[in-house]
Each structure stands twice: as C-alpha cells, then as structure tokens.
C-alpha cells in the first residue's frame, strides 16, 4: 500500500492566506498528501506568502535558506523534499525566487494554486514549475471540496472566500497587482460551501475577501447580490449560528449591509473597517476615496442600525508627507470613534506602488514616536472595552480546550477569548457566561443560567463622541 506523502504549509499574513492554505491541503489530498506540523519530515513544504508588510520577501528568502538545508539533509537520507512558494510574494517576484534560491521547485501565484498537482508533477520530471499568470478559469471551480474529516478537524469556525482582488488602487497597496481585479463568487457556490461546512459541525462562518463588501456575485435570481443579501441568505442555513465578514472598505458599505446588521441576530456586531488615517490630505494621497467625515458618518449609520456594534480598524503611521497636524487628526478620529481594537503599522514602501515613488518621507524616529502614541491610545480604548465586560453576562461560542487543564475557551461576539471551567461537551455550543475578571486580553468567567435575551451588552450612550463600552474584542 502506498504510504501517504507528508505536507507542511507555513502561511504568512492575512486570513485569506489561512483559507488558501486549507484549500491547498484539499487540492493535494487526492494526490496522497497529509499534513504534518514538522517541516523537516515533509515531502512537500509550501510557503504561503504575504507581500503587505515590510521586508516580506526577505523573510521568505530567510525561510527558504533554512529549507534548503533541510532539503539537502533529506536527500542524504534518500528522500526527496519539494519546496513551493505560493501567494503574493510568489506573484510579485515570480522567476526571481528560483534564481535567488534554486532549491525551490514550484512558484505559484494565489490565483493558480488549483494547478499545484500539475506543477508538482512538472517539477518532479526534472525542472522547475512557475505559474504567476492570472488564469482565465475560476480556481474555485477546479478545487475539490474539503473532506468531512478535514472540516471537523479544523474546528467549529471556518473561513469562506466570497470575493478576491481589489479595484481601489490605494497608493500604498500591492493587492491589485498580486491578487488582480475584484471578482465575486456566485451565490449558489458559496451556499454549497457553507452547507457542507454546517453539515460537518461548523457553527461560525467568516466571509472573507480583499474587499469583501465589494461583493457582487450572481444570485439565483439572475441579478448581482450585494453582501447584505448574501448574509441574509446564509443566515437561514441550519446549523450556522454566527456570521462575520472581513475586510471591508468604507466606500463599499451600502444600505443592504447596514440593514443586515439591524435585522440579523446571527450577524455579529463587530465590524473591521480600515480607515488608515484621520487626515483628509493623507487619505487623498493614499487614494482612499473617502474623507474622515465620511468615515465618521458611516460609523454613525452602523451604530444607528445596531447600538451594540463595535469597530476595529487599520492605521498607517508616517505615510509620505504626513505632518504633525495630519497625525493629530488621526488621534482625533480614534478618540471620536472609539475602537475595540485596531492594527497599526509604520508606513513601508511596497515596490511597484505609486506611494513608493513619493519623496517627502517621514523619518524613522518620528514614525516610531507616532506609532507609540497611537498604539497607547488604541490600547487604552481596548482595555476600557474589555474591562466593561466584567460583571456582565455575555454569550460565548465555545471552540476548544484551553491550555489550562479543565478550561474550555470560546469567543464572544466581539472575538474576545473567554475561558470557563467546563467539560468538552460544551464545544460548539453558545452559552451565557458571567465575566468575573480579565487576564490581559482574555475574559475569565463561569457558565451562567441561560438568559432570555443574553446576547450583547450595549453602551448607555451611543453617541460617536463616547468611548464604546460594549463587551468587546
């Protein structure tokens, strides 16, 4: 009987890459590959790369240097190890990867990983395989569905890609060049995926895309459906208790999405809405296509539809030309909106993007100082947000055993980890938890008696000037 071949995938970056890694596993399962956590024993190692952050390609080449040593050691043992580079660095650098690191066997872009079996076969015949073109066919139409055992092993929460690519062309971003134009999957294909997941124990679905609320997939009625309509449809699928989506662009929020947050109990009241800066001058230089006031009014619309909504966001500090006044506008926006959490980064140029050509750069020292100030403000808001949960009862979807013996951990509506002492039989259930204390970013509590309407604790003052005090992420 043929022994299974071992596959190790290391993913960098975003949720899209986590999902893509799972689909690569699914694509290679019919070829006899099974996953291993140990790259040294793998017959195939895939680096699933991200090109968003600074020095992304250097990290990949450093990892490839280590893998080259492991590949040589495998050869001494009479075993062949193949190395593949996938994802956005593969798309951006292509053949340069093979030139710089000849140990690489396959380079494949994020739109072509359904061709992995053919590319690996080509490389095994003695050459190198490279595919970074945007294929005409939709990769999702060629990927085998995940096996029931694989779905159950991945837990009670799952990602489902509904949209890929971006047409916004923010001046700092490589996504339009590495992922291509915006493409949305048909509604029926997404429903098929979600039903399969629900049938195998998945309770929570996060719809993902580079610009997920630009979704416009063909519906069964022959018209393009917006994201809000898709969410309404998915909320009717038996077994799916929670719905989320990420990542959004402020320009693509429409009324159907606002209304979905008003109407759908299954749609979690936690919106990741990147703004990047609070300065209109910097937003214009970034080609963000919205102003700070547009963003404030959008937050008001969300909160009017559902006062329990909380926000997270992304910020870039030190974009070329950012003045002290521009940065002060960002701090003012953060204070006005009030975030449950946010990601913040120093600007770093991405080769090939318009912003990389800008000359009026901000010094590293100034960027460091501004980032510290911004993160201190965001951390203070997140701490207040979490502390407000103490003494309240919140609903938690339990996911798995925690590190501490006897504890089970789950997530609140706002993605906060919540720990209780309980048995594994509660995994997959949504139960009320009385929160007693806070350990860093985790809530500690105990199971409470079921509450008739225990779901979210809303803030007493939902005006945009107040800090959100909903129980939160």
């Amino acid at each position: 009987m043929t022994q299974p071949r071992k596959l190790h995938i290391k993913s960098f970056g975003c949720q899209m890459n986590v999902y893509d890694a799972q689909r690569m596993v699914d694509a290679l399962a019919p070829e006899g590959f099974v996953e291993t956590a140990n790259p040294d024993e793998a017959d195939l190692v895939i680096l699933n790369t991200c090109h968003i952050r600074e020095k992304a390609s250097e990290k990949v080449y450093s990892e490839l240097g280590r893998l080259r040593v492991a590949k040589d050691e495998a050869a001494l043992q009479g075993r062949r190890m193949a190395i593949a580079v996938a994802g956005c660095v593969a798309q951006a650098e292509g053949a340069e990867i093979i030139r710089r690191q000849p140990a690489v066997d396959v380079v494949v872009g994020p739109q072509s990983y359904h061709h992995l079996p053919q590319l690996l076969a080509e490389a095994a015949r003695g050459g190198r395989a490279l595919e970074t073109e945007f294929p005409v066919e939709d990769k999702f139409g060629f990927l085998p569905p995940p096996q029931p055992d694989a779905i159950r092993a991945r837990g009670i929460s799952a990602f489902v890609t509904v949209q890929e690519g971006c047409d916004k062309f923010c001046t700092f971003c490589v996504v339009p060049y590495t992922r291509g134009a915006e493409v949305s999957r048909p509604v029926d294909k997404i429903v098929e995926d979600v039903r399969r997941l629900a049938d195998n124990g998945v309770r929570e679905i996060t719809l993902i895309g580079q610009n997920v609320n630009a979704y416009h997939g063909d519906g069964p009625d022959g018209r393009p459906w917006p994201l809000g309509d898709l969410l309404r449809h998915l909320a009717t699928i038996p077994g799916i208790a929670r719905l989320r989506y990420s990542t959004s662009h402020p320009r693509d929020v429409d009324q159907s999405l606002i209304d979905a947050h008003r109407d759908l109990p299954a749609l979690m009241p936690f919106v990741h809405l990147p703004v990047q800066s609070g300065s209109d001058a910097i937003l214009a230089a970034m080609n963000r296509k919205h102003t700070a006031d547009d963003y404030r009014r959008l937050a008001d619309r969300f909160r009017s539809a559902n006062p329990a909504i909380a926000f997270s966001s992304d910020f870039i500090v030190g974009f070329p030309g950012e003045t002290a006044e521009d940065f002060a506008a960002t701090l003012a926006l953060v204070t006005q909106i009030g975030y449950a959490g946010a990601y913040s980064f120093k600007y770093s140029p991405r080769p090939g993007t318009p912003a990389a050509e800008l000359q009026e750069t901000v010094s590293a020292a100034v960027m460091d100082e501004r980032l510290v100030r911004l993160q201190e403000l965001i951390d203070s808001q997140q701490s207040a947000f979490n502390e407000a949960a103490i003494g309240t009862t919140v609903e938690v979807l339990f996911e798995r055993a925690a590190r501490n013996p006897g504890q089970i951990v789950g997530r609140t509506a706002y993605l906060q980890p919540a720990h209780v002492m309980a048995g594994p039989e509660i995994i997959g259930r949504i139960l009320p938890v009385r929160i007693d204390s806070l350990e860093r970013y985790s809530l500690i509590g105990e199971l409470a008696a079921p509450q008739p309407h225990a779901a979210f604790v809303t803030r007493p003052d939902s005006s945009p000037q107040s800090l959100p005090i909903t129980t939160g992420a």
Side-chain angles (χ1 to χ4, degrees):
M1 187 174 181
T2 303
Q3 290 294 317
R5 292 183 286 176
K6 294 183 178 180
L7 164 67
H8 177 82
I9 301 183
K10 180 172 183 177
S11 283
F12 303 79
C14 66
Q15 293 172 333
M16 295 288 287
N17 272 11
V18 174
Y19 175 84
D20 284 352
Q22 292 177 349
R23 298 315 309 269
M24 284 186 244
V25 172
D26 299 334
L28 292 168
E31 306 298 314
F33 283 98
V34 296
E35 283 190 273
T36 176
N38 183 359
D40 293 335
E41 69 177 19
D43 300 291
L44 170 62
V45 177
I46 301 175
L47 299 184
N48 190 26
T49 61
C50 177
H51 207 270
I52 295 297
R53 302 298 169 213
E54 186 176 12
K55 299 180 180 176
S57 60
E58 284 85 345
K59 292 176 182 176
V60 171
Y61 288 116
S62 176
E63 190 73 25
L64 287 173
R66 289 190 287 270
L67 288 175
R68 179 188 59 78
V69 174
K71 183 173 183 174
D72 290 344
E73 290 176 353
L76 291 174
Q77 299 167 9
R79 182 169 59 86
R80 182 179 184 274
M81 173 192 284
I83 299 173
V85 179
C88 290
V89 172
Q91 186 73 39
E93 303 218 355
E96 176 68 7
I97 294 173
I98 294 173
R99 188 193 69 79
R100 286 186 58 178
Q101 183 47 268
V104 173
D105 300 278
V106 173
V107 176
V108 58
Q111 304 304 334
S112 301
Y113 59 74
H114 57 303
H115 291 158
L116 263 171
Q118 301 96 297
L119 295 170
L120 289 167
E122 180 182 336
R125 290 193 291 268
R128 299 289 185 270
L130 169 69
E131 184 169 338
T132 55
E133 299 298 321
F134 292 111
V136 174
E137 76 273 10
D138 173 16
K139 68 185 177 188
F140 294 100
F142 292 84
L143 288 166
Q147 294 299 306
D149 288 348
I151 295 173
R152 289 190 286 269
R154 290 167 185 167
I156 55 93
S157 296
F159 296 129
V160 173
T161 292
V162 301
Q163 180 273 342
E164 287 197 295
C166 187
D167 295 344
K168 295 297 178 288
F169 288 93
C170 298
T171 57
F172 56 82
C173 186
V174 298
V175 166
Y177 312 103
T178 58
R179 290 275 184 170
E182 289 174 355
V183 177
S184 297
R185 298 180 62 201
V187 171
D188 61 345
K189 297 298 184 183
I190 296 167
V191 169
E192 183 180 322
D193 284 354
V194 173
R195 287 191 186 278
R196 182 182 300 108
L197 293 167
D199 288 346
N200 288 282
V202 170
R203 302 275 282 140
E204 178 180 75
I205 297 292
T206 300
L207 306 182
I208 56 175
Q210 268 81 33
N211 188 13
V212 70
N213 59 330
Y215 178 80
H216 55 275
D218 291 338
D221 56 3
R223 66 176 178 87
W225 281 25
L227 182 63
D229 288 4
L230 175 64
L231 287 163
R232 285 181 187 277
H233 194 60
L234 297 180
T236 66
I237 294 178
I240 299 303
R242 286 183 170 183
L243 291 169
R244 305 181 186 273
Y245 60 91
S246 186
T247 289
S248 303
H249 192 293
R251 287 288 292 174
D252 286 320
V253 174
D254 66 5
Q255 193 59 42
S256 77
L257 186 57
I258 300 285
D259 291 346
H261 276 283
R262 179 194 64 199
D263 299 335
L264 301 180
L267 180 56
M268 294 297 95
F270 189 39
V271 179
H272 185 64
L273 194 63
V275 63
Q276 308 301 354
S277 174
S279 161
D280 286 348
I282 296 300
L283 290 170
M286 290 177 168
N287 193 35
R288 287 290 292 170
K289 301 180 174 68
H290 63 82
T291 66
D293 192 55
D294 291 335
Y295 188 89
R296 292 185 188 95
R297 286 187 281 108
L298 184 57
D300 288 345
R301 289 174 61 200
F302 272 112
R303 284 172 169 157
S304 294
N306 184 347
I309 280 180
F311 296 99
S312 61
S313 194
D314 293 345
F315 293 90
I316 294 174
V317 167
F319 188 81
E322 183 186 69
T323 65
E325 291 75 18
D326 293 324
F327 178 66
T330 295
L331 296 180
L333 179 71
V334 173
T335 301
Q336 291 161 357
I337 298 294
Y339 289 99
Y343 302 99
S344 52
F345 306 92
K346 293 182 289 186
Y347 170 75
S348 60
R350 302 269 67 81
T353 60
E357 306 301 318
L358 298 177
Q359 301 301 314
E360 193 179 352
T361 57
V362 178
S363 73
V366 169
M367 279 199 279
D368 288 341
E369 185 268 338
R370 290 177 183 172
L371 185 63
V372 168
R373 290 175 61 194
L374 175 61
Q375 290 181 340
E376 286 177 346
L377 176 58
I378 292 168
D379 286 349
S380 70
Q381 292 185 344
Q382 184 172 5
S383 294
F385 199 78
N386 288 338
E387 288 166 4
I390 297 174
T392 69
T393 297
V394 299
E395 290 189 342
V396 175
L397 172 58
F398 288 97
E399 298 178 347
R400 56 181 173 80
R403 285 192 297 270
N404 294 334
Q407 277 192 343
I408 304 296
V409 62
R411 298 274 179 175
T412 71
Y414 304 98
L415 288 177
Q416 300 153 295
H419 295 72
V420 301
M421 297 298 294
E425 68 276 1
I426 70 170
I427 293 173
R429 298 177 63 191
I430 297 175
L431 297 171
V433 174
R434 187 180 69 249
I435 305 303
D436 299 321
S437 62
L438 181 67
E439 290 184 8
R440 287 184 59 79
Y441 299 107
S442 294
L443 306 178
I444 310 298
E446 59 184 58
L447 295 176
Q451 304 297 309
H453 299 291
F456 317 117
V457 179
T458 58
R459 69 178 69 76
D461 175 7
S462 60
S463 69
Q465 297 298 321
S466 66
L467 196 67
I469 56 170
T470 44
T471 57

